[in-house]
Amino acid sequence: MARWRKTLRAVSVVTAVSVAMMVESAAAQADGGAPPCPTVAAPQGLAAGPGHQVDPDTWRRWLGRPPAYTGNPLFAAAEADGALPPVADRLPDPPLIVLPERGCGAYGGRLRGLSAGPSAGTSEVLSWRQSQLVRLAADGVTVVPDVARAWSWEADGRAVTVHLRAGHRWSDGTPFTAEDVVFWANRIIADPALHPVTPDPWAVGLTAQALDPTTVRITFDRPYPAFLFVLASVEVLRPAFAPAHVLAPMHGGLTPSADAAARAIGYADWVARFRAVWIGARDRLIGTDTALVLPTLASHRRIGPLSDGSGRRFEANPYFHRVDPAGRQLPYIDAHEERFLAPEAWYGEIVAGRVDQKSQNLPLVTIPYLAAHQDRGAYHLLQPIGPDGPTLVLNQTHADPARARLFADRRLRLALSLAIDRDRLNRAVFLGLGQPRQALPIGAPFVTAADEGWATDHNPLMAATLLDALGLTADADGRRRLADGQPLEITIAIDPSVHGPAEAYEAVAQDWRRLGIAVRVEPAAAAALARRMARGRHDVALGWSPPFLPSLVADASALAAPFARHAALTGGPWRRFLDSGGEAGLAPPDWVRRLDDLARRWRLTRPMGPAHRAAGEAMVAIHRQELVAIGTVGRLPRPLVLSRALANVPDWPVSHLSYGFAAPYRPFQWYLSGDGGAPASAPP
């Protein structure tokens, strides 16, 4: 993560962070007589742990008195007429105490975002509010409590006992208990009626048992020490709990009348109705409005559509479980507003100052336009790390045996990598904002700068020498020919909607053509590509995306044959051989067997422990040596718009779904201020 911080590039000159800290602190304490409120910037002697969270006993000792709680004035009328209990009775015991970033915020305001539609590109807005059993601290590797208060693992890694917070309630006031975790695990994820095949990443014999109302034991049929890390990263937007009090009456396995009730309102059966509300491992709170009426543990609950019908509105959850050190219930911001607009209309809204935070699906090419209009739109433009550029995987198990032998020769892959002029590609397609980078995991502490730079220098002379050594000699016209005299041809089939800009692949093809290789870049629909890959008749696969560390911890399939979970990029026959004990497929080379063994070891060891890192380091060393995937340009920024009125935004080194977009950056403690100042990641 430290390396990422060095790569951040903000394109505007903004108020110095030290000035912003003073402005925010003064604004938050201006009411006089307010209790002291330590922050990350000024902790006032209150020691916080990872994630800037404070142990309840430490907090009480620091206070020197029993805690007193205050709530958002948004709920004052409901409290006065008895519709809501007092804030002290709405919080669990203990609540989750968190230090705000630079100031104890003012209540009120609305956080405005954009999505393409009710279930299209909505993950970022969801990440403003969602809660999970655990979450990642901003360092991207430390798992910290959220809904869960604490946990303990059994020695064999096959079970974890999770402790919840006494008195925690759903947004409708119903108690949240261990049974809600059990319902999620046993009655949704592991229920064969809803999931004939258990969805990833839960095909590990997942079951749960409530030991008491605040204690749940979660077990697996094999060691699964990555479980909590998976929840905190790639599953952070899909909570590991469900409101059983609402959903159990719809579940045919629990309620015999569920089928009849479903048919009475137009569904085929209870399964169809249940899936309309909550489907698979993917919480439909991300998508359909049908599910958004469910009670939540998130910071904000859905209220209804926006007044003009252009989106939906969420208001603060009166039962939210977090407080600041002054005992003020979070969140500070009253409402989230999510508007649905076609992507081409986003930029006018941003420049008009009607968007407070946006990053998801903003293309890199929009950076110059967004940079030029920051003052007009009253926003900061940051450039955290996003996904890498194109990667190319030669099909070493091609259905054509001659091509398979050629593509499996490491010298060819090395020659093709050295032939790519990555600096030119970076300037021509990526605005010069990336860096030459090999196709390796992103953000992993065991990936070094030397690994990333391996075979990325443009060296066409060495590339030509390697091809000569392979017997791929050039004829009088400079065309490389195979041993049978046929020209060496490589086809790169792309679906631009999936694989990114076609001009990037054409630039790579031009470099390879200069070596005398006949390269075709041809468009192909995703379905046609999938059929070709299933038959093993593709030359180059483009579906390998360098995994961010959380994705890799959750699933190491990107580093072992066939190098993707849902497609055989290369090595499908190797995978069949390994899975069948040699009864099917093709015997893999030794390096593939070593990768398979290391990937298994990776899954069975504690995330980021010494054995885990050693396995990761060894897998990276093999990928570097073998160039399974050829990388082009990496460390590409993703444009990120932040309103200048948005305060308490910490350093934001990466913007990616693997980290849950905004989730690690604690949106529950953001607030809106006319003097929001600079985000921590914007330089003075």
Side-chain angles (χ1 to χ4, degrees), residues 126-146:
L126 171 66
S127 75
W128 296 348
R129 65 184 185 272
Q130 194 61 292
S131 291
Q132 177 60 287
L133 287 179
V134 291
R135 68 177 186 87
L136 285 182
D139 65 2
V141 296
T142 305
V143 176
V144 297
D146 186 356

Side-chain angles (χ1 to χ4, degrees), residues 421-462:
D421 187 342
R422 291 171 174 82
D423 288 330
R424 180 174 61 83
L425 173 63
N426 185 30
R427 291 191 304 271
V429 180
F430 301 111
L431 306 178
L433 296 175
Q435 298 175 20
R437 188 180 189 276
Q438 215 35 278
L440 295 169
I442 303 172
F446 42 79
V447 176
T448 68
D451 295 330
E452 293 179 342
W454 170 249
T456 60
D457 289 340
H458 183 219
N459 193 336
L461 182 59
M462 177 62 74

Side-chain angles (χ1 to χ4, degrees), residues 627-661:
L627 284 173
V628 180
I630 299 170
T632 55
V633 178
R635 300 194 177 281
L636 292 171
R638 171 173 268 158
L640 190 151
V641 170
L642 287 173
S643 167
R644 294 182 184 178
L646 193 57
N648 270 356
V649 180
D651 189 14
W652 198 315
V654 60
S655 176
H656 197 271
L657 181 59
S658 292
Y659 289 88
F661 287 112

Side-chain angles (χ1 to χ4, degrees), residues 258-284:
D259 253 341
R263 292 191 187 100
I265 55 175
Y267 292 99
D269 53 23
W270 76 266
V271 172
R273 182 188 183 189
F274 201 97
R275 285 177 172 167
V277 177
W278 188 303
I279 185 168
R282 297 186 175 274
D283 177 0
R284 290 300 290 269

